[in-house]
Amino acid sequence: MMTRKVRKVKKTFKMKVLLSLACLSAPLYSSGPIDSVDPLIGTGGHGHTFIGASVPFGAIQPGPNNIYKGWDWSSGYHYSDPIIKGFSHLHLSGTGCTDLGDILVMPNTGEIKTMQGSDNNPAQGYISLYDRRTQIARPNYYAVTLSDYNIKAELSASERVAIHRYTFPQKKGHIIIDLENGNSDRATDTYITQIDNNTIGGYRHSSGWANDQRVFFVLTAEQSFDNLTLYHRDDKLAESKGKGPSMKAVISYDNLTKPVIIKVGISPVSMENAKKNISDEMPGWNLESIAEQGAAKWNKELGTIVAESKSPEVKRIFYTALYHTMIAPVLFNDSNGQYRGTDKTVYDNPGFDNYSIFSLWDTYRAEHPLLTIIQPHRVNNMVQSMLKIYKQQGYLPVWHLLGNETWTMVGYHAVPVIADAYLKGYNGFDPEEAFEAVKTTAMNDRAGVKYIKEIGYIPAEKEGESVAKAMEYAIDDACIALMAKKMGKQTDYEYFTQRANAYTKYFDKETTFMRGITSDGKWREPFDPIASKHRSDDYCEGNAWQYNWLVPQDPEGLISLFDSEEAFVNKLDKLFTMSSSLGQGASSDISGLIGQYAHGNEPSHHIAYLYAYAGQQWKTAQYVRRIMKELYKDTEDGLCGNEDCGQMSAWYVLSAMGFYQVHPASGIYVIGSPALDRAEIRIPGKPNTFTIIANNNSDSNIYINSIKYNGKPYGKSFITHDMILSGGILELEMSSTPNKAFAEKAVDRPYSPK
C-alpha cells in the first residue's frame, strides 16, 4: 500500500500537471467556488466517488469506467486502475453496492473489436490504457487521452444529455456503443435501431442491485456515419435494428477532418423522450458552451456558502465536499415531466421535479438536513417524490435506485427526512398525506417491526441485526411523534413516543452496552463488544461500542441510563481512546477509526457531538476538529469510507462551518469547532445571510472561548434552524485552551424536542 507521504507527493505532482493541462486544454470556466473543487478526491481508497461530467442533481453523469473488479469499483471507476473500458452515462457516487454503468461508449482505431477485452489481454478488446497525466477532472468537464489509440476524449453534460468530443489521431476511427456492458449488473433486454444517418436509439434493461432498471437513449452525431454495423455480442447483424440481451453498435468514419462530436440523451420512459430531452436541453454542438453553462450552475449552487480559510487545502476539501452533496439525489424525469414509477407505470408531469437515488440510511443524518438550508426549492420536490413512491409501492423509499426499491440497510429513514421538512415549515406537500405515509410505513411488519408492535423489542434469535434495526426504528418513531404532536394527533404522538423510547430496553446496566435480547428476555450470549460479523449478529456494519450511542433523538435519555454524567463521559472518552482492533470477521465498512469510533460508517457521525449534551462542549470541539483534520484529505484517497451519496461530505460541510444537527428532525444544531475561518450562508429565496466567524482560528486554536450572536454574548452550545433562516452573525472566539465553563450549565446545552 502506498504510504501517506508518497501519496502527498503524488498529489502535488498531479495537481501541477492538471492545472497546466487545464490551462492549455480545458474549457475556460468563469471563476468561482468551482475553482476549489477537485473531483478526484474520493476516487481512490474506499471513497467510491463518481468522476466525470454532471450538473447539480443531474439525471445523467457521463464518465469513465474501468473493468469491474469488486467493491472499490462501485462507482465504475477507481483511481488505482490504469485501464478505461469506455464512458457510460449513469453512475453511483460513494455507494457500498454497485450498479449502473449504462450505455457504454468507447472510441477506438484499427480493426473493429466488439468485445471488451481483459486486464490480462487488453489487445483482445476495445479497452485502453490511459495516462493519468492527461486526465482533467472538473465539475461538468472531463477529459483524458486513451493511450492505446492516442484519442483525446472530452465529456460535458446538461441535466439529461451528455456531449462527447473525440479527437482522433488519423482519418479513420470507430465508436462502439455497448449495451451488454454495465457495472457488475446483467443486461436482460437491449435494443438498438438506426433512426437516420446521424442517429441511433434504443434501450437497456438490466438486473443488478436495481432488480428491473430501464433506461432509454438516443445518440446523435454531428457528422453523418460512414458506416453503422449492429452486433449481438460478437455476431454481426445484417439489419439496421436488433434486439437481445447483448446488443452493440459500431459507428465508423473513413475520412475525419475534425473531432467527432456526439450527444446522448437518456430517459426513464422512451426513446422519443430521450430525443426530446436533446432538443430541449442541448440543441447545439459547442462542448465549451455546454461546459460553461454547467460550470455556471455549479457556481450558483456552490455559492450558497461562501467559505473562507487561510488553508487552501481546507477550502478545497470543503468545496469538494459541497460538490459531492449535490451529485445525488438525481432528477428522474424527462424535460416534459414524465417519469417511470416504482410500479413501472409511466406518469405524466406531476407538477414537480421527480427525484431518485435516495441512500436514506446514510443521508437522513446530514445530507438532507443540509439541503433544508441550502436547497429549499428541491426539498419539497424530494419529499413529493418520496410520497409518490409510497403511493406506488405502499411503503416509503428505503434505498431507492432509479425506479427500483432495493430494500438496502435498516430503518425507514424517509420518515425523518419528511418530518424534518414539515417541522421546518416546508409546505410544498400535503402534511396529511405525508403523515399517512410515515405512519403506514412505520406500521409494516417487515424486518422485525412486527415484534416491536407485538412485544416492544426485536428478539435477537428471530431477526438478524436486531439491535441496529430497533435503534434505527426508534429514531424514526421519534420523528413521527414530533410530527404527530405538531399536527394535533395526540394518540399517535403518545404511541410513537413510546416506541421511540424502546432503545432503553437494549441497555445492559451491568456492561453499559446496548445488547441483543432473546425471546425469553435474557441478554444474548456470548457477548463481545468489539465483535462485528456482517449481517449475522445484533449490529449492522458495526459493533456494540459504535452502536452504544445511536440515540440522536434522545441524548439526555441515553445519559440517564448511566449512573451519572461522569460515567457517560468516561465511557465516551474510552470509545475514542481505546484500541482500534476489530478482531476477525469485521465488516469492511468499519473504517476511519479513532479508537472504536468509526467515522467511515454513518451510525457514528453524531457521536462526537454528544459531549455537548453532558456539558462538555470542549470535548465535542476537540474530537470534531480531530476528525476533520485526520480523516478528510485533498487526495484521491481523502475519504475514510464510502461517500454514500453525499453523507460523508455533508458531515464535513456542516462541521466545517461549525455545527451539526444531531436529532435528525429537531432543527437544533450543536456547535462543534469550525475548520473554516468564515462561512456565509446565502439562503436561497431569502434576503438574509447567516455568517459564522471564527476569530483566531487555527490548527491549535480549536476550542470556543466565547460566542457573540449579532453582537451580544451567547452562551449556548447550539443554534436553531430559525436563527439561520433569520440571518445574523455568529462570532466565535477560538482558543488553544478549553473554556470548560462554556455551555456547562444544563440551560445552555442542546436539547431534544419531545
Side-chain angles (χ1 to χ4, degrees), residues 446-522:
R446 20 175 344 268
V449 176
K450 69 174 183 178
Y451 298 114
I452 296 284
K453 294 191 297 184
E454 292 170 359
I455 62 175
Y457 71 95
I458 302 175
E461 82 279 12
K462 293 184 178 293
E463 186 76 32
E465 303 174 334
S466 62
V467 175
K469 289 175 179 174
M471 295 185 75
E472 296 279 10
Y473 296 151
I475 298 168
D476 299 335
D477 292 340
C479 298
I480 299 175
L482 290 180
M483 193 173 178
K485 182 179 182 180
K486 185 174 180 179
M487 296 177 72
K489 300 179 184 293
Q490 185 64 23
T491 301
D492 290 319
Y493 167 70
E494 292 174 0
Y495 172 72
F496 283 105
T497 296
Q498 181 184 25
R499 279 180 44 167
N501 291 327
Y503 74 88
T504 60
K505 298 182 180 181
Y506 297 88
F507 188 76
D508 175 12
K509 282 191 172 291
E510 183 176 340
T511 63
T512 63
F513 281 107
M514 299 289 179
R515 296 183 55 183
I517 315 168
T518 57
S519 295
D520 58 6
K522 296 180 179 178

Side-chain angles (χ1 to χ4, degrees), residues 194-215:
Q194 182 173 5
I195 297 173
D196 57 39
N197 287 337
N198 296 67
T199 310
I200 64 172
Y203 61 75
R204 182 177 191 265
H205 297 176
S206 60
S207 180
W209 189 18
N211 184 55
D212 182 11
Q213 195 223 331
R214 307 178 189 183
V215 57

Side-chain angles (χ1 to χ4, degrees), residues 95 357-364 368 398-400 644-645:
T95 58
I357 303 191
F358 291 118
S359 180
L360 292 162
W361 183 79
D362 309 290
T363 57
Y364 86 89
H368 284 284
V398 175
W399 210 120
H400 210 256
D644 285 314
C645 296

Side-chain angles (χ1 to χ4, degrees), residues 151-419:
I151 296 172
K152 180 180 180 181
E154 299 170 273
L155 308 174
S156 191
S158 62
E159 279 72 15
R160 302 168 182 86
V161 184
I163 185 167
H164 303 229
R165 182 166 63 195
Y166 300 130
T167 303
F168 288 84
Q170 56 198 43
K171 291 187 175 182
K172 293 187 177 183
H174 316 291
I175 300 173
I176 184 168
I177 298 90
D178 187 343
L179 301 190
E180 179 183 23
N181 208 310
N183 193 40
S184 186
D185 66 357
R186 177 178 60 87
T188 56
D189 185 19
T190 62
Y191 174 72
I192 300 177
T193 183
Q194 182 173 5
I195 297 173
D196 57 39
N197 287 337
N198 296 67
T199 310
I200 64 172
Y203 61 75
R204 182 177 191 265
H205 297 176
S206 60
S207 180
W209 189 18
N211 184 55
D212 182 11
Q213 195 223 331
R214 307 178 189 183
V215 57
F216 298 81
F217 77 97
V218 165
L219 181 154
T220 185
E222 182 185 34
Q223 183 174 337
S224 299
F225 314 146
D226 289 327
N227 190 49
L228 173 70
T229 308
L230 302 188
Y231 295 81
H232 188 258
R233 292 193 177 90
D234 206 21
D235 297 328
K236 187 174 181 179
L237 305 182
E239 299 84 2
S240 60
K241 62 181 178 180
K243 185 177 182 298
S246 306
M247 285 299 302
K248 303 172 186 181
V250 176
I251 298 167
S252 296
Y253 291 100
D254 299 329
N255 190 27
L256 291 171
T257 58
K258 62 180 182 178
V260 174
I261 301 177
I262 63 172
K263 294 185 288 191
V264 179
I266 62 164
S267 164
V269 173
S270 66
M271 284 190 294
E272 291 75 20
N273 278 12
K275 185 176 181 181
K276 180 172 172 52
N277 289 340
I278 296 175
S279 61
D280 286 351
E281 292 185 6
M282 200 182 291
W285 296 92
N286 189 318
L287 186 141
E288 280 79 11
S289 176
I290 300 302
E292 172 59 35
Q293 291 171 35
K297 293 173 184 177
W298 277 113
N299 273 329
K300 177 185 176 183
E301 303 303 341
L302 295 169
T304 55
I305 302 174
V306 180
E308 296 180 9
S309 173
K310 292 181 288 293
S311 166
E313 178 185 8
V314 167
K315 192 170 180 180
R316 192 157 47 243
I317 294 169
F318 179 85
Y319 275 116
T320 304
L322 188 57
Y323 158 77
H324 280 148
T325 68
M326 300 180 193
I327 293 176
V330 303
L331 282 169
F332 190 60
N333 61 4
D334 292 318
S335 61
N336 64 8
Q338 286 187 321
Y339 72 96
R340 189 178 299 275
T342 307
D343 56 3
K344 306 307 173 187
T345 299
V346 173
Y347 291 90
D348 288 331
N349 189 349
F352 60 86
D353 284 331
N354 188 58
Y355 284 85
S356 188
I357 303 191
F358 291 118
S359 180
L360 292 162
W361 183 79
D362 309 290
T363 57
Y364 86 89
R365 306 171 200 266
E367 163 83 354
H368 284 284
L370 174 65
L371 297 183
T372 66
I373 300 172
I374 63 172
Q375 295 290 327
H377 56 297
R378 287 188 169 90
V379 170
N380 282 321
N381 290 342
M382 290 178 186
V383 170
Q384 290 196 79
S385 300
M386 293 179 188
L387 296 180
K388 290 298 183 184
I389 292 168
Y390 160 72
K391 290 292 188 183
Q392 293 157 15
Q393 68 182 27
Y395 196 98
L396 284 168
V398 175
W399 210 120
H400 210 256
L401 176 53
L402 300 185
N404 289 263
E405 183 53 73
T406 69
W407 304 109
T408 302
M409 306 309 293
V410 301
Y412 29 88
H413 294 314
V415 165
V417 175
I418 294 170

Side-chain angles (χ1 to χ4, degrees), residues 361-362 409 465 532-535 537 539-543 546-547 587 589-590 601-603:
W361 183 79
D362 309 290
M409 306 309 293
E465 303 174 334
S532 171
K533 295 181 180 178
H534 190 50
R535 300 193 189 283
D537 62 11
Y539 310 98
C540 176
E541 297 181 358
N543 60 26
Q546 291 137 23
Y547 271 88
S587 169
D589 289 284
I590 307 175
N601 215 17
E602 280 68 20

